[in-house]
Amino acid sequence: MRKKIVAGNWKMNKTFLEAEELVAHVAEDLETRKLENKIVVLCPPFPYLELATDIAKDSKFSVGAQNVYPEDSGAFTGEVSPPILSSMEVEYCIIGHSERRKYFEESHEFLARKLDSLLKHNIIPIFCCGELLPERKAGKHFKVVEKQLNESLFHLKKDSMAMVVIAYEPVWAIGTGVNATAEQAQEMHAFIRGLVEKKYTKKLAGDISILYGGSCNAKNAKELFSNPDVDGGLIGGASLKAEDFIAIVDSL
Ligand code: PGA
């Protein structure tokens, strides 16, 4: 069954005390909500994962990491492996985020390896895709997203693919205050679902969750989420304030 998900990507923000306060605040607000088939995921920086998974045990949210290195263990100074994440009860991991593609030059092949390594350890990948502004202006956005999916994701077998969450994040909308319109989001999400159907099955395409990310906030979330192919959001800036994040959860 298709799941509705709101995931907060904190990126490189919050000190330890601020993180503690934000997780506790979100947990407390979720307590009063009936989430039914909604899933809430918090993705804090690595050092705060344990704090988050500790609180998550008695709360209504799950925890995700923002990154992973695609080896089980070894001499990779500074990196974090899927077994480390799963030993800390981290259930989700963001990969393919445009900031990692841009600043850390992560290639399609490297992302495919990350995906495989996460799935091997039963961690749910939140796979990000999306075009740059010049690509959209040139009308190449569908081609760009199709290539990202083809090269990093579509090598998966059906059972593995069924575990993946996709996040469409147009790069021009990330952190800019300019979100994709509801029509632009719906159009791309329907396109992505169509690709999944072509490559796999209609059932799998119907079951996969496709989140929207990019300047999604408490004001525009409801309109974005009202589209039939938008199954929730990957939230950056607006996940850093509990009230805003919870308002987005309430919009789903
Ligand atoms: P934003 O970021 O909500 O701050 O635009 C979204 C993301 O990068 O995941």
Side-chain angles (χ1 to χ4, degrees):
M1 198 180 84
R2 201 188 301 182
K3 297 185 194 87
K4 296 201 167 283
I5 303 172
V6 172
N9 173 13
W10 292 12
K11 310 191 181 183
M12 196 175 70
N13 290 297
K14 302 288 176 191
T15 61
F16 182 75
L17 288 180
E18 289 166 350
E20 209 170 22
E21 207 272 321
L22 179 53
V23 176
H25 194 157
V26 169
E28 195 183 310
D29 285 0
L30 289 177
E31 219 34 65
T32 58
R33 268 123 180 122
K34 265 215 178 88
L35 291 180
E36 284 156 6
N37 79 332
K38 283 190 222 174
I39 295 175
V40 178
V41 185
L42 297 185
C43 304
F46 281 140
Y48 310 147
L49 286 174
E50 193 195 355
L51 151 75
T53 53
D54 263 0
I55 299 180
K57 277 187 196 114
D58 302 311
S59 309
K60 296 178 179 169
F61 67 91
S62 301
V63 178
Q66 297 174 19
N67 188 26
V68 71
Y69 192 76
E71 292 288 339
D72 282 1
S73 63
F76 300 100
T77 302
E79 296 298 319
V80 172
S81 70
I84 293 175
L85 294 179
S86 62
S87 72
M88 296 176 72
E89 287 160 41
V90 170
E91 292 176 72
Y92 292 80
C93 183
I94 299 170
I95 62 165
H97 193 282
S98 65
E99 286 147 19
R100 296 219 55 96
R101 292 179 193 261
K102 180 177 172 194
Y103 302 125
F104 304 96
E105 297 176 9
E106 296 191 354
S107 66
H108 298 302
E109 298 72 31
F110 191 52
L111 295 177
R113 280 179 58 204
K114 287 189 177 202
L115 202 74
D116 294 341
S117 71
L118 288 170
L119 289 166
K120 183 175 151 202
H121 294 279
N122 287 317
I123 298 170
I124 300 170
I126 302 177
F127 179 82
C128 304
C129 56
E131 80 286 356
L132 303 167
L133 187 57
E135 292 167 339
R136 174 157 287 258
K137 284 193 168 154
K140 292 185 183 147
H141 42 296
F142 294 118
K143 278 262 161 303
V144 168
V145 168
E146 184 168 4
K147 186 173 165 71
Q148 290 170 337
L149 299 179
N150 270 333
E151 306 230 340
S152 301
L153 201 57
F154 284 171
H155 65 285
L156 292 178
K157 295 226 160 63
K158 200 171 120 200
D159 287 355
S160 299
M161 187 63 188
M163 271 188 72
V164 173
V165 173
I166 296 174
Y168 169 57
E169 297 207 310
V171 182
W172 46 271
I174 296 177
T176 58
V178 182
N179 58 288
T181 63
E183 293 73 29
Q184 286 170 326
Q186 168 56 27
E187 184 184 40
M188 182 60 86
H189 284 225
F191 174 73
I192 293 170
R193 206 178 295 286
L195 293 176
V196 176
E197 180 174 338
K198 239 195 273 168
K199 177 78 194 170
Y200 298 91
T201 61
K202 195 174 174 62
K203 161 122 184 44
L204 202 156
D207 282 349
I208 201 159
S209 299
I210 308 177
L211 315 184
Y212 168 78
S215 297
C216 181
N217 58 37
K219 287 209 178 87
N220 60 27
K222 204 164 190 68
E223 196 188 347
L224 286 161
F225 297 165
S226 66
N227 291 285
D229 288 299
V230 179
D231 307 311
L234 180 55
I235 317 299
S239 71
L240 298 173
K241 263 178 110 186
E243 294 83 2
D244 291 352
F245 186 64
I246 293 295
I248 295 171
V249 172
D250 288 341
S251 307
L252 189 60

